[in-house]
Amino acid sequence: MRKVTFGGAPSLDGYFARKDDSVDWLMWSKEAATIMSDYWKTIDTIVMGRKTYEAALKMKGGKENLYSGMKSYVFSRTLKPQKQGDLEIVAGDAVKFVKRLKKADGKDICVMGGGELARSLFDAGLIDEIGFNIHPVLLGSGIPLFLEMKRQIDLELLECKRFKNGCVYVSYRVKRVKPRRTGK
């Protein structure tokens, strides 16, 4: 079964971007580039919500094929469902869709952005790992990394790496809750 990873580059106080979607505070580094280059080799599919898609479009100057060679799915209740090359706008249930993707053949799956999509996938137990390049800045407000979830998610540390620029890369495996046995 394919692995689903949620990740990104948040501020230390847990925001992906400012309220206006700007990410002018992000600090790129060779260390982050190496980790991302290695990571991109393990995936062939990206899933994201509409807001993340629109923010990425703005950053890429309106270029619709954001991630060349990657199958990309955008979940939206407002955009018209359509397929255009490797990009597909999906109006259906994201949880059911990602469950099918996990069972299909292919490399791993990346959940890009945060918010409602990540929360629904966490709540359904579909996210296997998380990885963040945490930036040494306190934004004070913005687009949150996580929204309120239905339950606690326990994690197991896989890696923690300090970058020269003060960022910290962390990756975790989601611990699966084992069903309790009754004593009868």
Side-chain angles (χ1 to χ4, degrees), residues 3 8 27 31 59 80 92 96 104 120 161 168 171:
K3 179 172 56 177
M27 302 182 302
E31 295 152 309
M59 286 175 54
K80 180 182 175 187
K96 289 179 183 175
S120 69
K161 186 173 187 175
V168 177
S171 65

Side-chain angles (χ1 to χ4, degrees), residues 136-154:
V137 61
L138 302 173
L139 294 178
S141 67
I143 298 169
L145 179 60
F146 294 105
L147 297 178
E148 186 175 320
M149 291 189 234
K150 293 179 183 175
R151 61 183 171 82
Q152 175 178 312
I153 308 288
D154 293 323

Side-chain angles (χ1 to χ4, degrees), residues 5-9 129-133 169-172:
T5 303
F6 172 57
E129 292 183 6
I130 62 173
F132 297 116
N133 177 9
Y169 172 74
V170 294
S171 65
Y172 292 92

